[in-house]
Amino acid sequence: EIDSSAVIHPSAVIGAEGISVANFKNERVFFRHHGNVKIGEDVYVGANAVVQCGRIDATIIGARTIISSLCVVGHNTVIGENCTMAIQAGISGTARIGDRCWIGIGAKVRNSVTICDDVTLGIGAVVVKDIVRPGVYVGNPAKFLREHV
């Protein structure tokens, strides 16, 4: 489901199947994805970006969010409104990103992590646990640097 006002670069991939693997009796089991993608109004998805479909439910991109070139949004992720993902940023599956977040160049967000509203991730930041306090985060693993000014 893509809002008619969204701009999707022709090389972007919307609805790619993600990877869900579990170990069962010493064997890897691959789970197919049957969900969809919902892209809100005035969203921009850049060249060679990938937005994976949900495993069962939807991957959701909120209104007025920008996903730059070469970004990856994993399955079942929910990104709020007015967010920006800079070039080569990546969000693993089932993450929750609040409103007005900025994900810097090459920043990575681990699967199942929640980030509150009004968070800025610096270049190359790696988020491995929930962020519950608005502000600027940098480093690997990402640590609070300062409040927004």
Side-chain angles (χ1 to χ4, degrees), residues 88-102:
Q88 294 184 333
I91 302 173
S92 293
T94 318
R96 300 286 180 263
I97 311 297
D99 295 335
R100 299 171 304 280
C101 290
W102 179 281

Side-chain angles (χ1 to χ4, degrees), residues 7 23 38 55 61 63-64 69 71 81 85 98 106 110 122 125 138:
V7 175
N23 289 321
K38 295 181 181 180
R55 191 175 324 148
I61 311 298
R64 296 168 301 283
S69 300
C71 290
E81 297 183 355
M85 286 180 69
R110 184 178 186 268
V138 297

Side-chain angles (χ1 to χ4, degrees), residues 15-26:
E17 190 166 8
I19 298 173
S20 293
V21 178
N23 289 321
F24 179 73
K25 296 184 179 178
N26 295 322

Side-chain angles (χ1 to χ4, degrees), residues 12-82:
V13 178
I14 307 298
E17 190 166 8
I19 298 173
S20 293
V21 178
N23 289 321
F24 179 73
K25 296 184 179 178
N26 295 322
E27 291 188 29
R28 291 182 349 167
V29 179
F30 176 70
F31 295 95
R32 300 296 309 246
H33 292 194
H34 300 285
N36 63 350
V37 175
K38 295 181 181 180
I39 295 180
E41 64 184 41
D42 297 320
V43 166
Y44 173 82
V45 180
N48 299 309
V50 176
V51 179
Q52 296 177 341
C53 66
R55 191 175 324 148
I56 296 171
D57 297 324
T59 298
I60 300 171
I61 311 298
R64 296 168 301 283
T65 287
I66 297 169
I67 299 173
S68 190
S69 300
L70 303 170
C71 290
V72 175
V73 177
H75 65 83
N76 289 90
T77 290
V78 176
I79 299 177
E81 297 183 355
N82 299 302

